Amino acid sequence: MPADHPMTYAVVEREHRWLLPAPPAGLDPRDALLIEDHYLTGTRLRLRCVTDAEGRRTWKLGHKVVVDAGPPQGVAHTSLYLDDAEAALLGALPAAALSKTRHRVRHGGRDAALDVFRGDLAGLVTLEVDLGRGPEPPGHATGHGMAPPVGALAEVTADPRFAGGALATTTRATLRALLLEHGLDPGPDR
């Protein structure tokens, strides 16, 4: 898609992402969301199911396109909300899946998502800081110089191996290598 293509329905997101050794203490499980993502094979589409602590589910079909290289990278994100029947139809398509528990936290005065991954990605913990929506004001470098979270192992914002679509196809062995690369002992292999 050309950079000047009009994106009438998309919202541009800018985020910083850090790799953490573990979730911080004191997170309230009542505020946690279970996120199950299905990256539809051969597309840039993601089917997401978000389940809150009371069991309510929300289905979203998302589409992301990089619009500028940053840093931080700008990604145009479009979402459609689906009902259960629509989600079941799309959920039957071939897809790579991942599951994580998300906690909403604050970092540097901004909203952030603390993700604790499950399954083959168990041991992976990331913090994504939302730098705001839309275009950056001229001459303003949103997020540059933002302090990393206490104990962060590395900023992985520009590392495509830590993007959701890539993580959905990451094997346990590859995750172990990624975590070791950043100085984190992933524990025993399953």
Side-chain angles (χ1 to χ4, degrees):
M1 174 181 307
D4 62 348
H5 185 277
M7 293 176 286
T8 306
Y9 303 105
V11 174
V12 176
E13 299 176 337
R14 288 181 171 75
E15 299 172 329
H16 275 290
R17 184 180 306 118
W18 286 275
L19 180 62
L20 302 180
L27 293 172
D28 187 345
R30 295 171 298 182
D31 294 331
L33 300 171
L34 172 61
I35 296 179
E36 299 168 286
D37 286 337
H38 300 269
Y39 291 85
L40 302 180
T41 304
T43 76
R44 295 178 292 177
L45 300 174
R46 177 190 70 201
L47 177 62
R48 172 170 278 184
C49 180
V50 179
T51 306
D52 69 16
E54 295 179 15
R56 292 180 297 237
R57 293 188 311 175
T58 302
W59 293 97
K60 297 188 275 185
L61 181 65
H63 179 262
K64 290 187 176 187
V65 178
V66 175
V67 292
D68 67 64
Q73 185 179 63
V75 176
H77 184 208
T78 308
S79 287
L80 299 170
Y81 288 85
L82 307 176
D83 63 25
D84 288 341
E86 293 165 331
L89 182 66
L90 291 170
L93 297 173
L98 67 79
S99 178
K100 60 190 176 184
T101 301
R102 173 166 286 174
H103 299 270
R104 288 286 176 198
V105 296
R106 299 279 293 169
H107 175 70
R110 296 181 179 271
D111 291 331
L114 178 79
D115 290 333
V116 180
F117 289 80
R118 300 167 163 229
D120 284 345
L121 298 176
L124 177 62
V125 179
T126 60
L127 180 77
E128 290 183 1
V129 177
D130 181 354
L131 301 176
R133 305 290 189 250
E136 291 183 285
H140 185 263
T142 304
H144 290 276
M146 177 177 280
V150 172
L153 299 172
E155 182 173 357
V156 293
T157 303
D159 189 336
R161 301 173 298 175
F162 289 94
L167 287 173
T169 59
T170 297
T171 64
R172 183 71 185 160
T174 301
L175 176 66
R176 285 180 59 76
L178 280 172
L179 295 178
L180 285 168
E181 180 181 318
H182 290 287
L184 181 61
D185 179 4
D189 198 6
R190 288 185 257 156

